[in-house]
Amino acid sequence: MKGTTILLDRWQGAEAAALIRDGQLEDLLIDSDDPRPGTIYRARADRPMKGQGGMFLTTPDGSAFLRQVKGLSPGAPLLVQVTGHAEPGKAIPVTTRLLFKSRYAIVTPGAPGLNVSRASRDEERRDDLLTLAREVLEGHPVLELDPPAGVIIRSLAEDAEEEDIADDILAMASLAMNVLGDAEGPPEKLVEGDGPHTLAWREWPQTADVRDGDGCFDEMEVGEMIAALHHPEVRLPGGGHMMIEPTTALVAVDINTGADTSMAAGLKANLAAARDLPRQLRLRGLAGQVVIDPAPMPKKDRRQFEGALRAALKGESFETVIAGWTQLGLVELQRQRARPALPKPKGKS
């Protein structure tokens, strides 16, 4: 099936969204019981962790951890935003750098300036968008903060109607003012992070065919696609495969050539795995430390493998660092934990 389709449904009782591109599952969002990234709390400073350079905070949803703290005293209230999903048993990761993000605009308190996403290449359109932002925000109190807030016009605005862009800018600016004016008091959730359906509208392609309603996952056989993600083996073009297996400490990825015994079998399998690995990690909700054991290949081909991996990661919204090669020929990655792990099928432990 050619084309791009967005499906808005529920999966095992939870709100869910799936992005299908040319018949392949490209992205998957399933709600969880964890605090959603983007959630904003009025938190209370609890106790510092001097060895880690951070501080534990109290929130209505449990303990949170704020890194790189300076000048914050226990008991003080502060505004923080959830940046990702916590590992089991660990505190919620948060930041004091708040972002108010919608489909076309991001308001950035404490980071002044009007900017357009670098992904927008049309210079004339960029100028028009900046002019629109200035006109919309003229006299708005969000620009009178100390320091004033900034606005980033997202690349999705390039083909959008000016009225829709203006509405987004004003909505995010007003939300920012409401939240920033509510910084004093006991711990409280001030803004709920976006769920899968809103995230799909906010982040996924505008040109996609959107299907909304109970049963649309079944119509597109999304259940079978999700079931495949619970198996470690991923078949690769050319007959090779990779095994993706999460452990307590890390995610292990083992690349194999399969039945291919040609001289270039290792490089072919490694390149195919590099191109598909970011998608697999994204769909499975795997992050943290990722260790790749490539199929055997000459050292001179390592740069080509790294290039393919970097190219595949380029379009990701999650920060991923390629740490490099170990002495044993393994590749280490560090990936932002921005998604919850894929939930297990109901009835399985």
Side-chain angles (χ1 to χ4, degrees):
M1 178 185 293
K2 296 293 184 182
T4 302
T5 305
I6 293 173
L7 306 175
L8 306 178
D9 201 343
R10 300 187 70 82
W11 178 251
Q12 296 185 346
E15 184 179 304
L19 177 64
I20 310 292
R21 182 170 289 132
D22 297 336
Q24 177 177 263
L25 184 61
E26 185 66 25
D27 206 350
L28 177 68
L29 301 168
I30 302 176
D31 211 0
S32 74
D33 294 331
D34 297 339
R36 293 170 173 171
T39 295
I40 299 176
Y41 298 114
R42 185 200 305 121
R44 184 181 66 241
D46 191 359
R47 56 189 174 88
M49 290 291 290
K50 294 181 180 179
Q52 299 181 34
M55 178 170 281
F56 283 105
L57 314 175
T58 297
T59 80
D61 292 327
S63 180
F65 186 71
L66 177 65
R67 295 184 180 276
Q68 298 178 338
V69 175
K70 290 184 179 180
L72 184 61
S73 301
L78 71 162
L79 299 176
V80 295
Q81 188 168 39
V82 178
T83 59
H85 287 270
E87 297 179 62
K90 294 192 176 182
I92 306 164
V94 295
T95 179
T96 55
R97 298 180 63 181
L98 308 184
L99 295 178
F100 297 86
K101 188 174 185 180
S102 190
R103 186 173 178 86
Y104 303 123
I106 305 172
V107 172
T108 59
L114 300 181
N115 299 283
V116 178
S117 168
R118 293 178 183 177
S120 298
R121 303 294 185 183
D122 187 328
E123 289 299 328
E124 184 175 347
R125 180 57 173 163
R126 289 173 63 89
D127 291 340
D128 290 343
L129 291 172
L130 285 173
T131 299
L132 174 64
R134 291 190 189 98
E135 292 174 352
V136 168
L137 290 174
E138 185 176 2
H140 197 285
V142 78
L143 297 183
E144 298 173 5
L145 296 170
D146 185 21
V151 175
I152 300 171
I153 306 300
R154 306 185 66 202
S155 58
L156 287 170
E158 200 165 27
D159 300 315
E161 297 292 332
E162 290 195 352
E163 183 178 354
D164 294 334
I165 301 169
D167 288 345
D168 256 13
I169 295 172
L170 285 175
M172 292 301 99
S174 298
L175 179 60
M177 291 301 301
N178 289 338
V179 170
L180 295 173
D182 200 11
E184 297 295 328
E188 182 181 348
K189 181 187 292 185
L190 301 179
V191 176
E192 177 71 75
D194 290 334
H197 291 181
T198 302
L199 281 173
W201 166 81
R202 198 183 84 185
E203 303 295 338
W204 290 354
Q206 300 181 73
T207 55
D209 174 29
V210 179
R211 303 185 189 181
D212 184 1
D214 294 342
C216 63
F217 271 24
D218 293 335
E219 294 171 10
M220 296 286 288
E221 300 181 343
V222 174
E224 287 80 355
M225 298 178 188
I226 295 176
L229 297 172
H230 289 285
H231 296 283
E233 184 176 4
V234 179
R235 306 303 300 181
L236 300 172
H241 67 274
M242 63 177 162
M243 304 292 289
I244 303 175
E245 297 176 287
T247 71
T248 303
L250 51 82
V251 178
V253 180
D254 183 29
I255 306 173
N256 298 282
T257 60
D260 189 346
T261 58
S262 65
M263 292 289 290
L267 178 60
K268 287 192 293 184
N270 290 333
L271 292 178
R275 296 182 186 112
D276 196 38
L277 182 59
R279 182 180 73 93
Q280 291 291 336
L281 295 175
R282 181 172 66 248
L283 293 174
R284 295 163 190 254
L286 298 177
Q289 185 177 352
V290 181
V291 178
I292 306 170
D293 184 8
M297 64 178 176
K299 281 189 175 182
K300 65 180 179 65
D301 291 334
R302 287 184 175 183
R303 181 173 295 181
Q304 190 173 351
F305 171 74
E306 276 191 58
L309 187 56
R310 291 185 190 279
L313 290 168
K314 192 173 182 180
E316 291 283 287
S317 58
F318 316 132
E319 183 180 358
T320 304
V321 177
I322 301 178
W325 296 79
T326 72
Q327 290 185 341
L328 295 178
L330 308 177
V331 182
E332 294 181 318
L333 310 180
Q334 187 66 37
R335 187 170 173 86
Q336 179 188 2
R337 199 174 297 279
R339 297 270 179 90
L342 184 70
K344 294 179 180 179
K346 284 190 173 179
K348 296 195 176 184
S349 58

